[in-house]
Amino acid sequence: MSPRGRAIVWQAAALGAAGALVGLAALEAASNLKARGIASGFAYLGRAAGFEIAPGPLPYSARDTYARALAVGLVNTLRVSLAGIVLATVMGVMLGLARLSKVRALSLPAAGYLEVVRNTPLLLQLLVWYSLWQGLPGPRAALHPLPGVLLCNRGLFLPSLSERPALSGFDIRGGLSLSPEFGALLLCLATYTAAFLGEIVRGGVLSVGRGQTEAAAALGLSRARTLRLVVLPQALRVMVPPATSQFLNLAKNASLGVAIGYPELIAVTGSTLNQTGQAIEAIALATLVYLAVSLSFSLAVHLWRRGRW
Amino acid sequence: MAVHRSVSPLIALALSACSGAAPPQEAAPRVPAAATTSATPTLDAVRRKGFVQCGVTTGVAGFSAPDAQGRWRGLDVDVCRAIAAAVLGDAERVRFTALTAAQRFTALQTGEIDVLSRITTVTFQRDVQLGIEFPAINWYDGTGFLVPRSGGVRSPRGLAGATICVSAGSSNERDVADYFRKNGLTFTPVVMERLEELTNAYFAGRCDAFSQDRATLAAVRARAPHPDDHVVLADVISKAPYSPGVMPNDLRWMEIVRWSVFAMIDAEELGLSSGTIDGAMASGDPEVQRFVGQTGGFGAMLGLDALWAYRIVKQVGNYAESFERNIEPLGIERGLNRLWKDGGVLYVPDLR
């Protein structure tokens, strides 16, 4: 048999063994659940959830099904993750360039920031952001950082095209609003991931040979144009794989939102498994959803790189 | 760390569920190989290890909370101690497992605890679908609201459009949704798993109201920087009968838990307290004689000795003593939880 044929046989055997193990575990789990009198199966997904979730992009009420509630959780996870990735990238590039700068007033604070953020637990940072936000005044005494913008312990309120936010009843209504849970989680994820991205940017830029910069200078390109046209395109090749894994980490870290009551996938899963008691199904489903999100993101990046290079 | 702790029983469930092919002591470490043949695996296991593993809250004053010396105290804690006094002869032979609302049933189902005694409302779904058995109701409560006095809210209807703090996986999470839906009102929930974090968020002004069972709200209010700034609304929007919980695979254990609770209530009805029970040993009252084990042989029927009920009262006290020690200091009235002859709904079968 050719080496390639042998490899295929071995891989098929390994896959079969892994599949058999998973199947065995599932059978054992099912019989154990039955022995303990715990209901199993996914029929619960079609039943009414009966609990409320803070308003988000996807309409939802307690009348909707558990499946819908989970979709709301997923959308909330994706929402904070995408916003976090954009913010973290902007901050990360700025941090990386600041660290490379010859101006010490830029490079030293950037280095200090990286050390602090990378060497403290993420959950602690999240709780700090959240308690800082909770320390803001109430809706009646909301801060006005910019005209039309209101900031208080109930959230950040921005004017929309049609209306300006204003106090109404218990809360501020109208315009666009970000809850303190979303805001704290977004800031936490962005500032944390930016520290790692900053190092990736720095490493990427340093990986481009000095000769390239010198050649660009010899051609008379300005420093900014050298960076934009010569250094960054080459640095990007080095930066994309580790940055991808940081983006995926950010999406996974979004599950920490459960600690401050942000209704993301894990929080909704928690309420669901608690109301239904179907822990294995609920956790398995959350795992599969995360896996699917991560793998499709990886695949997209992979295809993009293949197309580009 | 909230996240880690909340997930651990799930992992335990997954692991134990996956190891069914392994020897029984690995699948369920606390149940011996004979578990399948013994009629009362939990009682056997408790006797062998010498203590009752009891699931309680992470700290709700009055029901289960550690005091300044780290000793667990509360109405629910006294149920754990009563069981230990009855089964092991010593009310102190209890180990406590602090559980969040979301963790509690998994901990019971996986055998991490022998009995759940944790302000748990009996519901159809928990009884029938989760397969938890609820042997004896030991507290009647209901979902209410805690609000800042300055807000001027007098009734739950005044909370239209409000932000409400509610604990994840509690029955309150659904009660509040039901109530607002029934009345055609809306609200925004802030849902957290740990009561401490939820309490902090409420006191920081994140929510306009805190919804929980009313006795728990009284305990939360007592922890406020200025308790008088907050008020528990008089309205109760749901029924919340609390019972300890056990697994359905051990009828004898369930009976022991049930009659340990009943014994405390019966003792109050018979006028027996920790101070008077020694004198009652010589009583001529046939009911008292049965209770203290002089006649009737009820202990043996439970698989215990004759003095099981005597020890519960001697070491833990009757229901009124437990109430006065734990709940009354919070300023909560006994209300529904008075004996039936005093106008409450505590009405339990006699030992006969």
Side-chain angles (χ1 to χ4, degrees), chain B residues 278-300:
Chain B
D278 278 327
M281 293 303 274
S283 163
D285 181 341
E287 278 194 82
V288 174
Q289 280 189 324
R290 282 197 296 271
F291 190 94
V292 298
Q294 300 286 55
T295 57
F298 291 115

Side-chain angles (χ1 to χ4, degrees), chain A residues 82-148:
Chain A
L82 292 177
I85 285 171
V86 171
L87 198 57
T89 306
V90 173
M91 290 175 63
V93 169
M94 279 164 33
L95 266 174
L97 296 181
R99 272 214 74 181
L100 287 168
S101 167
K102 291 196 177 63
V103 183
R104 303 203 81 175
L106 280 177
S107 66
L108 276 183
Y113 173 88
L114 290 177
E115 290 312 317
V116 171
V117 169
R118 293 202 308 171
N119 293 301
T120 49
L122 184 55
L123 182 64
L124 185 72
Q125 295 180 24
L126 178 61
L127 294 176
V128 167
W129 281 112
Y130 190 55
S131 51
L132 282 179
W133 203 307
Q134 283 186 342
L136 292 171
R140 274 158 233 277
L143 306 174
H144 292 73
L146 291 167

